[in-house]
Every structure is written in C-alpha cells, then in structure tokens.
Amino acid sequence: MKFAVLSPIVDFVFPPRCPLCGAAVHTQSGLCASCWNELAIPGEPCCALCSRPFQGDLAPGTTCAPCLAEPPRHAGIADATLYNDASRRLVLAFKHGSRLGLGPMMARLMAASLARYEQDAWVFVPVPLHRWRIWRRGYNQAAVLAREIVRTAGGSLAVDALVRRKSTASLGGLGRRARLRELSGAIGISPKGAAAVRGRTVVLVDDVLTSGATSDACVGVLLRAGASKVVVACFARVIDEA
Ligand SMILES: [Zn+2]
Ligand SMILES: [Zn+2]
C-alpha cells in the first residue's frame, strides 16, 4: 500500500509527533533527536560469534563465555539496538499500540546492523506467532519487520516458512531446560518454507531477542531444513548476565 501521496494531508490533520515523548517531529515515522539519542546502538568490542558487547579492550576474534561454553548454532546476531527503556517503549508501541508506522524506521536500523555480515542472497524468515495471537493482534510484528527490511535491503521473503504448531506459554521466568521443553515441537517448517531456505543464507527476524530459546529453536528447524547458515536479526536485544 502506498500512502506517501496522502502524507501532506495526514501531516496536516495529525501533525507528526515523536512516538516516545510526543515532541513535534518532521515525519510520521521518526523519533525526535533526544529520543533517538536514548537508543543504545551496539558497537565494538563485542563477541566474534554473537556480538555480545564487551567491557574494555579485547582482541578481535574473542568470544564471550556463553559462546565458549556452547558454540551457537546461528551464524551471528544482528542487533539494531540494545534493550533499554527507549527501545522497550518503541517495541511496545509497535507491537501493542498498533503503531505500525514505526516499522520502516525500525527496519532501517535492523538493515544497518546486518551490514556487518557478508551479503549474499538472503532469505528473510520471521519468527512465527501462533495463529491465535495473530488473530488477537491482527498481525505478526516480526513479519511486518521482515517485509520492511526486504524493502530496504533487498533479498527475498519467506513469510510463512516457519509455523507455530502449538501455542507456547510465556517463556519469561522459566529456566533453560524448561524453556527447551516448552518449545520442543512447537516450531515447524512448511513444505514451501523448506524449499525456500534449502541451501540459502537465512536471516531470522524478530522484534525482541531475549533468552534466545525461541530463536535457537527456529535456527535448529531452519538448519535441519537445509539452510546453509542462519543469522539472527532483532530490533532490541536483551543482554543477560554472562
Ligand atoms: Zn521523543
Ligand atoms: Zn558470544
């Protein structure tokens, strides 16, 4: 859908406001300068495998303790921001407040964080949402982001490649083993999805990356389906204690 032609009228009726603080801004999809500065954009130094930020100076190629203990199955994490109050409020507005207009801005940041990976013909696959949740919310926020990233960065979209076979309880508060048990068998791949990812570099897309249990289950399914590697892209990444 193209609304660009309507935007001067929309701007006149609804003057653009920063979605976080309400200050006047130039476009409907942007943040004001001070909220922009509150976003934590991850940088160097960081873990060579999962880009977890490090304190202090460490040699390039160093890996973090969790990656050392158990090498990840993904081929890297592209995190647009580190989870903080500003990114949390953005995600909530996008996810529950139906501020879908934030999608392009969030997707641009995600596309920028993907730039550190060698670009081959990426296939973008959103983390699936159970159909009951899609029905309640009206959309899968990860699929909206994946579609916007493809629009910005190119590549192909396999929006229904992964499917939720059962509705999982919230994983928050569960230990690692309990999370794995809750997720086992919850995520599958469609025949069309398997054909789309076979032999390809897949970018798994989600809005927030927390424990990594859900994304790890998705990465496992994609690799078993024949994806050559899977990079995990998220808008906001929760850094847990390492
Ligand atoms: Zn603001
Ligand atoms: Zn790491």
Side-chain angles (χ1 to χ4, degrees):
M1 282 184 284
K2 289 263 187 281
F3 287 122
V5 68
L6 280 176
S7 79
I9 305 168
V10 172
D11 287 355
F12 180 69
V13 181
F14 303 105
R17 300 265 166 207
C18 170
L20 293 187
C21 71
V25 288
H26 293 298
T27 61
Q28 295 281 3
S29 61
L31 297 183
C32 75
S34 76
C35 287
W36 187 259
N37 282 332
E38 279 181 41
L39 289 177
I41 309 292
E44 308 276 334
C46 64
C47 169
L49 295 180
C50 75
S51 57
R52 174 190 295 273
F54 286 142
Q55 309 286 349
D57 269 339
L58 282 156
T62 307
T63 57
C64 70
C67 285
L68 208 58
E70 193 179 353
R73 288 187 288 179
H74 61 66
I77 294 181
D79 39 3
T81 67
L82 301 178
Y83 194 80
N84 66 6
D85 186 55
S87 63
R88 182 185 65 87
R89 283 158 61 211
L90 260 181
V91 167
L92 287 179
F94 177 61
K95 187 147 65 175
H96 299 295
S98 296
R99 289 293 299 261
L100 280 171
L102 293 169
M105 185 268 289
M106 293 165 75
R108 276 197 303 278
L109 284 172
M110 292 172 77
S113 74
L114 272 166
R116 80 174 89 114
Y117 295 98
E118 192 189 331
Q119 178 154 19
D120 37 343
W122 283 328
V123 180
F124 290 84
V125 173
V127 168
L129 207 59
H130 194 270
R131 62 179 182 282
W132 292 345
R133 287 216 191 145
I134 295 180
W135 179 75
R136 246 183 290 160
R137 188 174 298 159
Y139 57 92
N140 174 358
Q141 72 282 358
V144 175
L145 290 174
R147 187 169 285 123
E148 288 294 341
I149 299 172
V150 168
R151 202 171 290 172
T152 309
S156 56
L157 182 67
V159 79
D160 295 321
L162 294 175
V163 288
R164 285 261 179 187
R165 294 209 183 105
K166 61 174 192 184
S167 185
T168 43
S170 169
L171 300 174
L174 295 181
R176 192 182 127 77
R177 276 174 179 282
R179 283 197 295 256
L180 290 177
R181 206 177 320 122
E182 180 65 30
L183 281 165
S184 86
I187 290 158
I189 191 157
S190 67
K192 224 173 106 187
V197 305
R198 195 168 300 130
R200 306 287 297 274
T201 299
V202 173
V203 181
L204 179 72
V205 178
D206 209 352
D207 53 350
V208 179
L209 184 66
T210 46
S211 68
T214 305
S215 67
D216 200 47
C218 293
V219 170
V221 169
L222 290 163
L223 290 174
R224 278 195 297 278
S228 59
K229 58 181 172 177
V230 183
V231 172
V232 178
C234 64
F235 175 72
R237 177 179 184 187
V238 178
I239 301 290
D240 53 357
E241 308 287 304

